[in-house]
């Protein structure tokens, strides 16, 4: 025990991580794996609870999962690791010259190295009525609890946003409401999940959701939210003049990076805090990670690239702690999208709209609700949209990542990886075993 106490208070560098969400938490775990003698680490989180799996808020709302299932590590774990964890406090000021932070309680914390992992917030535009009670985001446990309570009361819910998050919130509300709550989704674009799906797949998804009892409005723009004398939301008004009754409104129309500290401290900020390929900001002592950072022209909302950022930054920080140079660099890679709604399978990656050079392959079985559309360029797979049977998804993704020429098996590409592999093998284009997807029972 004595050793444990000693490590927690060494005079080495003090690393401070602002943000105890999924990225900040995973960084701590990645650092623990790499360093025998841990740095002195302080983690600040403005939520009152320790890190949890935000991705699982949808099943939590739907009632398919309990709160325990979301816990990553509790406060005791941080204490056992000799890491100082400060919850329910927000960093109000970052003083780069003095290398210190000041929290909203007036606490001052000095740092040698700082990581900003402050995440994002719902894009709550300047819509009139946005501050009424009954209007929520779908970002945290507090939101999930409020929406669960609203669903049990019943009435009408309006979800603004027909992307991944909006649809998961809408279906969660419907399921939790057990028939007592009518749920409408407003999507500005002309089809659902327009960033991931083409019109055909989105049409299949919309039909399935309507069949379950959701009301879907595409090409719908929210104009204002109407409140009553008590300041509670009662209706949503659309730009076309429609009025939808609403006891509860969820804003899920995109996210805005929490880059306020970076701006205040004079770091380079564009749409988010600008970082290089080691996740370092314009100040060499300060790093940014996850939804609050921008690399090249890209900002982040999906977990897959953020996990890769964590590995690069952990490597970088651990190397510096031991005086070595890290070779790890962050590189943009495509990610595939999946939707967490029970009973609906879709898988998509790459461009959505084909261009003139694309070879488009399509398979559609309306009776089974199966749809596949592939975009190839010179025999190489670039974009995939799968709805219904998504078993081929990982195989397609592996081919696209490898940039493999699939011309030899073009006619079998829509059928199944076994047929396609056989044709590639006949042309002696073998996949290494580790690249083969595990053959799943269909």
């Amino acid at each position: 025990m004595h050793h444990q106490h000693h490590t927690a208070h060494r005079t080495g560098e003090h690393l401070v991580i602002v943000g105890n969400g999924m990225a900040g938490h995973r960084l701590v775990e990645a650092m623990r794996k790499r360093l025998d003698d841990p740095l002195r680490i302080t983690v600040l989180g403005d939520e009152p609870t320790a890190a949890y799996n935000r991705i699982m808020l949808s099943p939590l709302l739907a009632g398919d999962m309990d709160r325990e299932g979301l816990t990553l590590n509790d406060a005791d774990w941080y204490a056992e690791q000799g890491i100082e964890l400060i919850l329910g406090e927000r960093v109000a000021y970052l003083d780069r010259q003095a290398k210190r932070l000041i929290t909203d309680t007036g606490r001052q914390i000095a740092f040698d190295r700082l990581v900003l992992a402050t995440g994002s917030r719902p894009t709550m535009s300047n819509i009139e009525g946005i501050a009424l009670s009954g209007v929520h985001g779908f970002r945290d446990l507090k939101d999930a609890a409020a929406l669960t309570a609203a669903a049990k009361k019943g009435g009408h819910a309006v979800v603004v946003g027909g992307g991944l998050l909006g649809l998961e919130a809408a279906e969660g509300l419907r399921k939790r409401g057990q028939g007592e709550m009518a749920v409408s989704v407003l999507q500005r674009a002309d089809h659902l999940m327009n960033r991931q799906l083409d019109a055909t797949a989105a049409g299949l998804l919309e039909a399935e959701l309507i069949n379950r009892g959701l009301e879907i409005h595409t090409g719908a723009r929210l104009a204002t939210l109407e409140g009553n004398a008590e300041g509670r939301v009662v209706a949503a008004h659309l730009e076309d003049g429609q009025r939808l009754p609403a006891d509860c409104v969820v804003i899920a129309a995109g996210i805005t990076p929490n880059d306020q500290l970076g701006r205040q401290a004079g770091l380079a900020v564009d749409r988010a805090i600008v970082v290089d390929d080691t996740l370092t900001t314009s100040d060499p002592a300060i790093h940014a990670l996850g939804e609050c950072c921008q690399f090249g022209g890209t900002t982040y909302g999906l977990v897959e690239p953020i996990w890769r950022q964590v590995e690069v930054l952990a490597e970088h920080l651990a190397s510096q702690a031991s005086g070595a140079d890290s070779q790890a660099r962050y590189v943009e890679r495509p990610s595939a999208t999946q939707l967490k709604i029970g009973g609906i399978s879709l898988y998509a990656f790459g461009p959505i709209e084909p261009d003139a050079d694309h070879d488009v392959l399509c398979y559609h079985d309306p009776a089974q609700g199966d749809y596949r559309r592939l975009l190839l360029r010179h025999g190489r797979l670039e974009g995939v949209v799968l709805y219904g049977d998504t078993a081929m998804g990982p195989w397609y993704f592996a081919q696209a990542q490898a940039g493999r020429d699939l011309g030899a098996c073009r006619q079998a590409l829509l059928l199944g990886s076994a047929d396609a592999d056989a044709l590639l093998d006949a042309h002696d284009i073998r996949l290494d075993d580790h690249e083969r997807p595990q053959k799943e029972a269909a």
Side-chain angles (χ1 to χ4, degrees):
M1 197 51 227
H2 174 73
H3 173 72
Q4 178 75 44
H5 182 75
H6 172 70
T7 54
H9 298 283
R10 10 193 313 261
T11 51
E13 280 210 332
H14 186 203
L15 171 66
V16 176
I17 301 171
V18 181
N20 187 224
M22 295 175 71
H25 174 74
R26 192 166 172 119
L27 179 65
V28 170
E29 291 203 309
M31 296 291 296
R32 297 288 312 154
K33 286 197 192 94
R34 284 172 171 83
L35 292 171
D36 300 333
D37 197 4
L39 291 165
R40 200 175 131 228
I41 298 178
T42 299
V43 178
L44 292 118
D46 68 359
E47 287 186 68
T49 35
Y52 56 89
N53 187 349
R54 200 181 299 283
I55 290 178
M56 291 300 163
L57 286 172
S58 314
L60 179 71
L61 171 59
D64 297 339
M65 193 167 199
D66 62 3
R67 167 68 185 90
E68 281 309 294
L70 273 70
T71 304
L72 292 171
N73 279 117
D74 57 15
D76 293 348
W77 179 86
Y78 283 84
E80 282 158 20
Q81 305 294 333
I83 294 165
E84 183 181 20
L85 178 64
I86 300 169
L87 295 175
E89 272 183 54
R90 180 183 285 271
V91 175
Y93 188 78
L94 160 53
D95 182 339
R96 286 202 290 143
Q97 280 59 48
K99 285 195 160 184
R100 64 176 180 167
L101 302 169
I102 302 169
T103 74
D104 55 4
T105 66
R107 185 196 301 252
Q108 300 203 14
I109 298 169
F111 63 84
D112 295 300
R113 285 197 170 276
L114 179 65
V115 176
L116 301 175
T118 48
S120 67
R121 59 192 183 277
T123 305
M124 291 271 203
S125 50
N126 41 11
I127 290 275
E128 184 192 326
I130 204 85
L132 291 165
S133 75
V135 180
H136 307 280
F138 187 36
R139 278 301 297 160
D140 56 31
L141 285 169
K142 203 167 83 235
D143 293 333
L147 295 180
T148 300
K152 287 178 173 167
K153 274 205 199 97
H156 294 85
V158 172
V159 177
V160 183
L164 277 168
L165 192 65
L167 295 181
E168 289 180 11
E171 175 64 0
L173 282 167
R174 183 199 66 79
K175 210 169 163 190
R176 178 68 76 144
Q178 296 184 322
E180 296 301 306
M181 182 168 249
V183 184
S184 306
V185 176
L186 309 183
Q187 167 69 328
R188 287 178 69 143
D190 58 6
H191 67 252
L192 296 176
M193 286 184 64
N194 56 304
R195 295 198 171 160
Q196 290 92 10
L197 301 181
D198 65 356
T200 309
L204 290 166
L205 175 62
E206 184 176 336
E208 167 64 27
L209 293 173
I210 289 171
N211 189 36
R212 292 184 179 199
L214 293 180
E215 195 177 291
I216 311 276
H217 300 261
T218 52
R221 288 168 180 266
L222 179 65
T224 60
L225 295 172
E226 176 192 335
N228 62 14
E230 286 83 62
R232 281 202 63 80
V233 71
V234 293
H237 292 263
L238 307 192
E239 282 182 7
D240 66 7
Q242 279 190 83
R243 177 184 185 271
L244 303 175
D247 304 289
C248 161
V249 173
V250 184
I251 306 287
I255 56 176
T256 300
N258 288 327
D259 57 13
Q260 303 92 313
L261 282 177
R263 283 184 197 278
Q264 170 260 300
L267 296 173
V269 176
D270 179 20
R271 286 178 299 133
I273 300 167
V274 176
V275 295
D276 65 12
D277 59 5
T278 61
L279 288 311
T280 307
T281 68
S282 55
D283 181 327
I286 302 178
H287 306 274
L289 182 68
E291 291 177 334
C292 69
C293 84
Q294 175 179 332
F295 173 71
T298 308
T299 54
Y300 301 90
L302 296 173
V303 78
E304 195 185 329
I306 296 174
W307 284 172
R308 293 192 293 104
Q309 290 177 355
V310 166
E311 294 304 308
V312 172
L313 181 53
E315 199 62 49
H316 186 73
L317 293 170
S319 303
Q320 283 183 326
S322 59
D325 254 352
S326 159
Q327 300 308 307
R329 294 292 181 268
Y330 177 74
V331 186
E332 262 324 301
R333 288 215 193 100
S335 318
T337 299
Q338 286 167 295
L339 185 68
K340 281 179 300 304
I341 290 182
I344 294 180
S345 294
L346 58 86
Y347 187 97
F349 65 85
I352 298 147
E353 293 309 319
D355 62 36
D357 291 340
H358 275 130
D359 175 17
V360 183
L361 299 183
C362 245
Y363 168 86
H364 190 183
D365 177 352
Q368 291 296 318
D370 282 340
Y371 174 72
R372 313 199 246 292
R373 192 206 62 181
L374 314 184
L375 301 180
L376 291 103
R377 192 188 304 276
H378 311 308
R380 288 175 172 78
L381 199 48
E382 281 192 354
V384 165
V385 175
L386 306 178
Y387 187 89
D389 177 2
T390 58
M392 282 282 284
W395 188 86
Y396 289 140
F397 193 59
Q399 307 312 305
Q401 293 287 77
R404 189 164 284 108
D405 185 341
L406 301 172
C409 67
R410 183 185 180 280
Q411 72 272 36
L413 271 178
L414 290 167
L415 301 176
S417 54
D419 294 339
D421 272 340
L423 283 168
L424 288 174
D425 281 349
H427 281 74
D428 208 31
I429 308 171
R430 290 200 174 75
L431 282 175
D432 297 334
D433 278 341
H434 71 267
E435 285 185 79
R436 279 182 198 284
Q438 301 308 307
K439 294 276 192 285
E440 292 163 44

